[in-house]
Amino acid sequence: MLVLLEKLYFYELIFVFLLHFQTYLHPSQSEWVTFVHGAGGSSTIWFRQVREFAKHYNVLLLDLRGHGNSKAEKKVSWGKKYSFHSIANDIVEVLDHLNIQSSHFVGISLGSIIIRQLAEMQPQRVSSMILGGAILKMNFRSQILMRVGNLFKYVLPYLVLYKLFAFIIMPKKNHQQSRLLFVNEAKKLYQKEFIKWFKLTAEINPLLKWFRQVEIKIPTLYVMGEEDYMFLPAVKKVVADHFQSSKLAIIPACGHVVNVEKPEIFNQLVLHYLQQKKPAFTTTDFFN
């Protein structure tokens, strides 16, 4: 895939501040699309998006701290405690390094929280937000999961906990590919790194409450799987409340990781939304 892309677009692979990123530069377009993966993943989860999006935009892929090729030991100091603010700021540093003044942002799962945090910090840098498998509220089952994780994070190998979480969030047979992909990516983490990220759960509830209450004036498309039972109900309510800026597309017979399970539909939805140059959008454009 990369060989084909290199024939069409300039390809860059570099470390900046030891946050790993790749760019695919379009020969004539100035707009950027930045992809942000979730916890335990890496930029490789977007392999089914890169080709299509690079036909229309400059594309930025990055590995969050401690993930993928952004290995923790290569950084002088990430700091003892992680926060959503500091993680979002890592992305801002990459944007500054590349002189990207603004970008559309596409995120999945925990990446949706990081993008929203970045939008709170520097809204002028965010042209629009596409939030797949968005997390806006931790329901009862997810709260129990967090408590179990906090109890056993120093005792059980992190992969045991991660596999458990992945199965509970993505339980169906058609979710298996997503589960395997994220578990395989999570194997590249370290126990200490997993614990640092897991400690972010301590600040997640008040942060999500703020996101639900405050409508940010940035065009936002939520792309959710019909079977994403843990997170879809809260997203529906927020979109109803934040109707001036937010739209919702629900993909049938799909779970949490929408870009992996239904990549063709995901790509079509997101590209259509971006190319409309406006937030107006309904799911009936695609499913009726």
Side-chain angles (χ1 to χ4, degrees):
M1 180 183 70
L2 291 181
V3 173
L4 293 174
L5 283 168
E6 286 175 3
K7 293 180 180 178
L8 297 173
Y9 307 99
F10 175 76
Y11 171 76
E12 180 182 5
L13 176 62
I14 193 169
F15 284 91
V16 56
F17 306 109
L18 298 182
L19 192 67
H20 178 270
F21 68 83
Q22 301 173 17
T23 61
Y24 300 87
L25 302 184
H26 193 280
S28 60
Q29 293 297 325
S30 60
E31 290 185 272
W32 283 86
V33 176
T34 300
F35 290 88
V36 183
H37 63 80
S42 76
S43 57
T44 61
I45 71 160
W46 303 109
F47 71 99
R48 291 179 175 172
Q49 279 71 56
V50 174
R51 178 189 298 278
E52 289 303 312
F53 281 80
K55 292 177 182 178
H56 307 280
Y57 300 95
N58 299 297
V59 171
L60 170 60
L61 304 177
L62 47 83
D63 290 331
L64 298 174
R65 56 170 70 180
H67 290 68
N69 289 314
S70 294
K71 293 300 184 184
E73 76 271 19
K74 294 179 181 177
K75 180 111 176 125
V76 175
S77 175
W78 286 119
K80 292 183 178 180
K81 182 180 178 181
Y82 289 3
S83 68
F84 285 105
H85 186 282
S86 63
I87 292 168
N89 194 61
D90 292 343
I91 300 174
V92 172
E93 290 180 348
V94 176
L95 298 179
D96 289 342
H97 176 83
L98 295 172
N99 197 30
I100 299 173
Q101 299 304 311
S102 64
S103 174
H104 305 283
F105 283 85
V106 182
I108 194 75
S109 194
L110 193 79
S112 66
I113 302 177
I114 296 167
I115 290 172
R116 178 59 195 272
Q117 175 64 47
L118 193 158
E120 293 285 341
M121 294 161 50
Q122 296 198 23
Q124 75 280 4
R125 309 296 288 269
V126 183
S127 302
S128 67
M129 300 186 290
I130 292 85
L131 308 179
I135 300 173
L136 287 175
K137 186 176 183 180
M138 307 300 287
N139 66 6
F140 178 76
R141 186 171 296 189
S142 56
Q143 296 281 2
I144 294 297
L145 273 179
M146 288 196 302
R147 291 178 185 178
V148 169
N150 276 313
L151 282 173
F152 295 103
K153 64 179 180 286
Y154 293 109
V155 179
L156 292 176
Y158 77 92
L159 273 179
V160 173
L161 289 173
Y162 198 87
K163 288 178 180 179
L164 174 64
F165 296 162
F167 184 79
I168 292 175
I169 295 171
M170 300 171 276
K172 293 194 173 186
K173 185 177 181 179
N174 57 301
H175 306 163
Q176 183 178 18
Q177 183 184 9
S178 300
R179 288 199 306 269
L180 291 176
L181 176 63
F182 271 78
V183 169
N184 287 334
E185 285 298 315
K187 289 178 181 177
K188 300 175 184 178
L189 288 174
Y190 304 102
Q191 183 80 13
K192 290 183 179 179
E193 190 68 25
F194 173 83
I195 291 172
K196 285 183 178 180
W197 275 85
F198 198 85
K199 286 181 177 179
L200 284 171
T201 58
E203 64 176 85
I204 200 169
N205 283 328
L207 190 66
L208 295 182
K209 183 178 180 180
W210 172 259
F211 292 167
R212 294 194 304 272
Q213 290 177 341
V214 178
E215 180 175 8
I216 195 166
K217 303 302 181 182
I218 294 174
T220 304
L221 172 66
Y222 294 91
V223 185
M224 304 295 292
E226 180 185 38
E227 299 168 347
D228 194 357
Y229 70 100
M230 290 184 70
F231 304 115
L232 178 56
V235 171
K236 286 181 176 179
K237 186 177 187 309
V238 167
V239 171
D241 293 339
H242 299 179
F243 61 90
Q244 291 184 340
S245 61
S246 300
K247 299 295 177 183
L248 171 62
I250 300 175
I251 301 179
C254 184
H256 183 60
V257 190
V258 287
N259 68 300
V260 172
E261 285 189 44
K262 302 286 185 178
E264 293 83 7
I265 298 176
F266 179 86
N267 294 347
Q268 184 183 18
L269 286 167
V270 177
L271 285 169
H272 175 85
Y273 180 78
L274 293 178
Q275 290 165 5
Q276 290 297 301
K277 307 296 185 185
K278 57 184 179 181
F281 176 85
T282 64
T283 56
T284 56
D285 295 332
F286 293 90
F287 300 135
N288 287 345

